[in-house]
Amino acid sequence: MNYLWLDAETTGLNPVHNDIIEMAAIPFLKGKEQPTFHEFCQPVNWQNWSEEAERVHGISKEKAKTFQSSADALDKMITTLESYNCKWTIAGYNVDYDKKMMSGWFAKHGRSEDFNRLFEVPTHCTHRRWKKVLKELGSKAPQTENNKLETLAKHFNIEIDAH
């Protein structure tokens, strides 16, 4: 299976009204890590900018205006993923949200067919998996502030570069 480990930063929480401003992905082709994809872009719908989201991702509206167009960033992503000649399973923490945002991003640019051609329907959500593991562990489960990869890696003394 080919996984695209994904994280999208957005201007808000709604995949129809809000936009992606940062897309980071690590492709794993047949279990082997490939070069990363990491692009910033201007949101299409500036009017839907969420100040709350800005506090979360730390990208100001003024900074985002200096980024490449959303269409250009999307073209780069599609070109990169097409170069592997396969379909991808989107993977990551709470990635169903990221998949919805990305699907909306493709749709806003009239590229829904590309989305369907590039991605498998099911996702691999580490958040859902961790919830199942926590349930199985019961009282033996680690007590952490949240279940994000960065927090769990720190808890288990595993070095990673994540946010």
Side-chain angles (χ1 to χ4, degrees):
M1 193 170 287
N2 303 309
Y3 290 104
L4 186 68
W5 291 88
L6 186 68
D7 189 23
E9 295 296 342
T10 69
T11 58
L13 302 175
N14 184 309
V16 174
H17 301 293
N18 299 119
D19 286 307
I20 289 173
I21 58 170
E22 179 184 11
M23 178 60 71
I26 305 170
F28 272 77
L29 186 64
K30 298 178 184 171
K32 199 169 182 185
E33 185 175 345
Q34 306 299 313
T36 61
F37 176 89
H38 188 199
E39 297 286 333
F40 291 88
C41 62
Q42 298 175 6
V44 174
N45 296 317
W46 289 98
Q47 71 277 14
N48 294 317
W49 188 271
S50 164
E51 299 302 321
E52 179 183 338
E54 185 175 320
R55 283 190 297 278
V56 172
H57 56 61
I59 301 169
S60 70
K61 197 179 221 181
E62 292 72 30
K63 177 71 174 171
K65 288 179 181 179
T66 69
F67 298 154
Q68 68 187 316
S69 75
S70 181
D72 286 347
L74 181 59
D75 285 343
K76 287 178 183 177
M77 181 175 206
I78 290 170
T79 299
T80 298
L81 296 178
E82 284 177 335
S83 72
Y84 294 103
N85 198 27
C86 68
K87 271 191 118 163
W88 300 94
T89 297
I90 297 172
Y93 178 83
N94 203 18
V95 77
D96 293 330
Y97 165 79
D98 294 282
K99 184 178 181 183
K100 285 178 190 172
M101 291 303 297
M102 196 166 63
S103 173
W105 190 39
F106 276 67
K108 286 175 189 176
H109 293 289
R111 308 291 298 262
S112 292
E113 285 183 25
D114 291 315
F115 183 85
N116 294 327
R117 180 177 46 78
L118 288 168
F119 301 104
E120 300 286 354
V121 172
T123 61
H124 178 72
C125 180
T126 58
H127 177 67
R128 272 196 319 261
R129 175 67 182 130
W130 180 245
K131 284 171 56 175
K132 287 179 185 177
V133 169
L134 282 177
K135 191 173 182 178
E136 290 173 16
L137 290 173
S139 63
K140 295 178 184 177
Q143 301 300 309
T144 57
E145 63 186 87
N146 59 49
N147 298 327
K148 291 189 173 188
L149 179 60
E150 182 180 30
T151 303
L152 294 171
K154 185 177 179 181
H155 177 81
F156 292 107
N157 296 315
I158 299 169
E159 284 192 42
I160 62 165
D161 184 14
H163 70 283

